[in-house]
Amino acid sequence: MKLYQNEISSATSRVRIALALKGLTAEALPVTILGENSESRQAGYRSINPQGLVPALLTDSGVLITQSLAIVEYLDEIKPEPPLLPDTAEDRAQARSIALAIAAEIHALLPPRIGLHLGKVFQADADAITAWNRHWVGEGMAAVETMIGGRRQGAFAVADQPGIAEIFLFPQAISARRLGFDLARWPNIAEIVARLEAIPAFRENARTPRR
Ligand SMILES: N[C@@H](CCC(=O)N[C@@H](CS)C(=O)NCC(=O)O)C(=O)O
């Protein structure tokens, strides 16, 4: 397998964590994502992934899978142990709800293309873009905290083992900390993140200095 990726991409971190939990490896194919002239905006990479985003996983049979949730679920299917989804249908739905609340409602408002567009069309400077990022992270993580607290049954967000919910939660929580948030304001998230920081697959694979 090959993984189109970027070192500072939080969406890529999700896939790296899943690979590490599964004991799988993928050859890293770096794609730059910052600035107007990044590789993610060039025709070359767009001909591979029309969305111009990382991560994108090239399977051993040459199929490209885009979107981190689809990639993580693919990895779970090709190597079922350890499972990344909980035992019951309701818990699996809860895990996917948390993952999507992060991927679709928080992170989607933060990547470089959003900041570039805010700057170009609305003249937002670096401070304004940081304020934008803090707004969506603060509001979104507060909602995720309530979602987790409402149904939490185990040591982690949904169960006693980390899985898809934590794979999405952890890089976003690290980004929130880098944006100046004290995770203690979200007690369930803070406790879960502290547990995840003790697990090498999480600790060593969430490199998200910018978002
Ligand atoms: N929903 C996508 C998000 C992918 C995404 O936004 N990736 C960012 C890096 S974290 C990216 O490639 N950004 C390029 C850009 O914004 O121009 C996923 O979960 O894979």
Side-chain angles (χ1 to χ4, degrees):
M1 291 188 287
K2 296 181 180 180
L3 181 64
Y4 293 95
Q5 64 150 52
N6 186 281
E7 279 302 306
I8 60 155
S9 146
S10 126
T12 299
S13 295
R14 301 166 190 157
V15 174
R16 280 196 298 250
I17 293 167
L19 285 166
L21 286 170
K22 294 288 185 184
L24 293 169
T25 53
E27 181 190 339
L29 302 176
V31 179
T32 61
I33 59 171
L34 296 180
E36 285 286 358
N37 299 315
S38 67
E39 288 163 355
S40 62
R41 267 169 272 283
Q42 310 289 323
Y45 185 59
R46 294 280 165 125
S47 71
I48 296 167
N49 178 0
Q51 287 192 293
L53 303 177
V54 290
L57 185 82
L58 193 59
T59 70
D60 288 338
S61 52
V63 172
L64 190 81
I65 305 176
T66 63
Q67 293 293 331
S68 57
L69 186 60
I71 298 170
V72 170
E73 292 215 28
Y74 168 79
L75 296 175
D76 202 31
E77 287 186 25
I78 61 166
K79 185 156 187 213
E81 293 297 327
L84 299 181
L85 284 162
D87 290 341
T88 71
E90 285 175 351
D91 286 350
R92 285 193 289 277
Q94 170 77 346
R96 290 186 176 107
S97 294
I98 292 168
L100 282 167
I102 291 161
E105 317 300 342
I106 302 176
H107 177 268
L109 292 158
L110 314 175
R113 63 191 179 281
I114 305 297
L116 278 178
H117 194 69
L118 289 171
K120 209 158 47 180
V121 178
F122 303 105
Q123 290 75 50
D125 61 13
D127 287 346
I129 292 167
T130 299
W132 167 278
N133 290 347
R134 282 185 53 84
H135 172 78
W136 296 114
V137 169
E139 189 171 289
M141 291 295 266
V144 170
E145 168 68 19
T146 306
M147 287 168 75
I148 293 173
R151 276 203 63 213
R152 193 166 165 207
Q153 303 165 52
F156 292 98
V158 185
D160 272 324
Q161 295 80 34
I164 275 182
E166 291 75 17
I167 286 171
F168 281 68
L169 177 65
F170 189 69
Q172 199 61 62
I174 301 301
S175 296
R177 205 186 258 155
R178 291 193 174 121
L179 271 173
F181 288 98
D182 181 351
L183 297 190
R185 70 195 283 163
W186 307 307
N188 283 290
I189 291 174
E191 190 194 318
I192 293 162
V193 166
R195 291 208 166 104
L196 295 172
E197 278 173 327
I199 303 174
F202 283 85
R203 188 178 62 241
E204 292 165 9
N205 287 295
R207 296 185 286 275
T208 61
R210 288 178 184 272
R211 295 179 305 285

